Amino acid sequence: MAENCPHVQVKFFTKQPTYSVPDSPFSVPANVGITELSSLINGLLNEEDSEGGVDFDFLIDGEFLRVTLDVYLEQKGVSTEDVLDIEYVERQAAPKPENSLLHDDWVSCLQANTCYILSGCYDNTARLWSSSGDSLMTIPGHTAPVKCVAWMKEDDDTSSFVTGSHDQTLLVWVWQRERNEVDCVCTCRGHAGSVDCVAVNQTQDKFCTGSWDKMLKLWSAGLDRDTDVSDDDGTESASKRKKTAETKVHSRVPMLTLSGHSEGVSAIVWLNSQEVCTASWDHTIRIWDLQEAKQSATLQGSKVFFDVSYSPLSQTLVAASADRHVRLYDPRSKDGAVVKSSFTSHNGWVIGVAWSPTNQYEFISGSHDSIMKLWDTRSPKAPLYNMEGHEDKILAVDWSLPELMMSGGADNHLKIFKYDSKSESMDVS
């Protein structure tokens, strides 16, 4: 580096004790970037007998440094005389392609739980997979494409889940894992359009749905058939009733219906035990109080919203939109400035978003540009990584398990990426 390059005084700190260095100020050339700063930290650590180099990322005022220090100082209007406090963290390794699960048609929805993956397909079926990618079962039942799926309860030998379809119904299923048999407990009837989204509450006793009919509905997630009405309306002959008695599927009606959206409801998520958030083709995100049975807030956008995800860790929402942006919202904000950040990198409609279940800063997004991206809210100008592999548009993403990022696409594939999230991210400030 040129001798006449101006220098900057910096102080380093970290929340990862393994990598702590003395907090005394250092004088560094102003034209250094993250590579040189990483080398400097490694040099300081090597004095303490640390083996090998570690890649670090650097944050100033809570935002990742992505330019050289002199450019950063100029952008922020900071004097080179000031001492810069720089936080450093071990850089996240790139997610690794792990598996690609082939379906017979478009993969429209997916969700993982502890050991299994549930997917919905345009061939009218739902599918069960092991998290390692083994096909366990293909489940017919719907008469049109399956548009949404969600796990419900899990115990020692059974799991239950719900599937929603373009056929305007939802089916509640119980899966006997040991015998690998599924049983349809009931059909949920009440929507007058495609059922495009479903979300199960934290206690797993209710679920909410949104539909192309603009309605939001609340249902019981109970597995007891006694609460349901029979599909038998009394018009069938006695012999036909007898023949179908054993295979009869009971109907379930909603506990609550709420209207307010002026176009189809595209996504739904629980914020807490009594509030849900919906996203819609009417360019709004709405928050509903189910206990009071009313809408409590509206966030206005400029284009169609396709998906929304809520992080209990940061208590913020990310929303995917047709204008190619992902936006970060604080639903608690009372000052009107609800958009806290925008993330722009996709070249097509952003169709899905999902927060990390263990990291308050990270989320993924999937788009019609066929790419899934990993974002950190501390780096709004650029994603951390692009995950490529789909040969057609992405239709859904899921990050229910910390170590698995997944996307479903119009190339009939469900892509799985393995991810090793750093423990530093668990620190919720």
Side-chain angles (χ1 to χ4, degrees), residues 414-429:
L414 190 163
K415 302 279 184 188
I416 303 174
F417 286 79
K418 197 77 181 270
Y419 188 56
D420 176 24
S421 187
K422 304 299 179 197
S423 56
E424 170 268 342
S425 309
M426 286 296 289
D427 171 49
V428 180
S429 51

Side-chain angles (χ1 to χ4, degrees), residues 20-40:
S20 59
V21 299
D23 64 354
S24 49
F26 294 90
S27 180
V28 299
N31 60 0
V32 300
I34 55 177
T35 306
E36 294 84 4
L37 292 174
S38 202
S39 297
L40 173 56

Side-chain angles (χ1 to χ4, degrees), residues 66-112:
R66 290 292 181 251
V67 292
T68 56
L69 285 178
D70 52 0
V71 172
Y72 173 85
L73 294 172
E74 189 178 333
Q75 286 174 349
K76 300 292 183 182
V78 178
S79 165
T80 51
E81 305 299 316
D82 294 344
V83 177
L84 275 182
D85 287 313
I86 302 180
E87 180 183 356
Y88 59 99
V89 296
E90 185 181 356
R91 184 176 304 166
Q92 291 282 176
K96 294 185 175 67
E98 179 80 2
N99 219 324
S100 189
L101 312 181
L102 181 61
H103 293 61
D104 292 335
D105 208 332
W106 290 10
V107 183
S108 52
C109 48
L110 62 161
Q111 191 182 56

Side-chain angles (χ1 to χ4, degrees), residues 17 19 24 30 32 47 74 104 140 169 175 178 187 190-191 223 233 236 268 277 292 320 335 358 366 380 387 395:
Y19 300 124
S24 49
V32 300
E47 290 178 12
E74 189 178 333
D104 292 335
T169 69
W175 175 33
E178 195 65 37
T187 304
H191 279 299
L223 303 176
D233 59 4
E236 290 181 326
I268 190 161
C277 172
E292 300 286 330
D335 59 7
T358 54
M387 287 159 277
L395 302 175

Side-chain angles (χ1 to χ4, degrees), residues 321-354:
S321 172
D323 65 5
R324 298 180 288 115
H325 303 293
V326 178
R327 290 181 178 83
L328 177 73
Y329 293 88
D330 183 349
R332 301 157 300 168
S333 180
K334 302 293 182 214
D335 59 7
V338 288
V339 180
K340 298 303 176 189
S341 234
S342 290
F343 305 86
T344 309
S345 177
H346 283 295
N347 295 318
W349 287 2
V350 187
I351 214 75
V353 282

Side-chain angles (χ1 to χ4, degrees), residues 46-265:
N46 281 336
E47 290 178 12
E48 296 169 12
D49 214 25
S50 172
E51 286 299 317
V54 178
D55 284 330
F56 291 104
D57 258 323
F58 298 86
L59 298 111
I60 305 176
D61 289 335
E63 192 170 310
F64 277 121
L65 183 67
R66 290 292 181 251
V67 292
T68 56
L69 285 178
D70 52 0
V71 172
Y72 173 85
L73 294 172
E74 189 178 333
Q75 286 174 349
K76 300 292 183 182
V78 178
S79 165
T80 51
E81 305 299 316
D82 294 344
V83 177
L84 275 182
D85 287 313
I86 302 180
E87 180 183 356
Y88 59 99
V89 296
E90 185 181 356
R91 184 176 304 166
Q92 291 282 176
K96 294 185 175 67
E98 179 80 2
N99 219 324
S100 189
L101 312 181
L102 181 61
H103 293 61
D104 292 335
D105 208 332
W106 290 10
V107 183
S108 52
C109 48
L110 62 161
Q111 191 182 56
N113 71 356
T114 46
C115 301
Y116 304 101
I117 298 165
L118 177 61
S119 62
C121 187
Y122 265 69
D123 68 358
N124 307 354
T125 69
R127 290 173 183 242
L128 288 165
W129 312 79
S130 71
S131 56
S132 56
D134 299 318
S135 177
L136 302 175
M137 188 184 297
T138 300
I139 306 163
H142 286 288
T143 58
V146 176
K147 300 298 292 291
C148 55
V149 294
W151 290 101
M152 297 197 304
K153 289 188 171 138
E154 185 170 29
D155 58 30
D156 293 343
D157 51 2
T158 64
S159 299
S160 58
F161 55 90
V162 57
T163 57
S165 167
H166 194 73
D167 67 14
Q168 306 183 7
T169 69
L170 295 112
L171 300 178
V172 174
W173 304 86
V174 173
W175 175 33
Q176 302 284 345
R177 296 194 304 271
E178 195 65 37
R179 299 201 303 269
N180 198 27
E181 293 174 359
V182 292
D183 178 29
C184 183
V185 174
C186 67
T187 304
C188 299
R189 301 184 189 278
H191 279 299
S194 174
V195 184
D196 290 343
C197 51
V198 60
V200 180
N201 68 351
Q202 289 86 340
T203 50
Q204 300 173 319
D205 61 346
K206 298 183 187 75
F207 58 85
C208 255
T209 56
S211 164
W212 192 246
D213 67 7
K214 311 171 191 175
M215 299 297 171
L216 158 69
K217 292 181 187 283
L218 178 69
W219 311 78
S220 163
L223 303 176
D224 185 356
R225 285 185 173 86
D226 294 342
T227 59
D228 300 320
V229 295
S230 168
D231 276 355
D232 180 6
D233 59 4
T235 58
E236 290 181 326
S237 68
S239 61
K240 188 172 180 188
R241 280 203 302 273
K242 187 175 178 186
K243 194 188 301 180
T244 59
E246 289 188 21
T247 57
K248 190 172 297 300
V249 173
H250 291 234
S251 283
R252 182 169 297 175
V253 293
M255 302 162 67
L256 178 68
T257 297
L258 291 171
S259 62
H261 281 296
S262 58
E263 297 290 347
V265 181

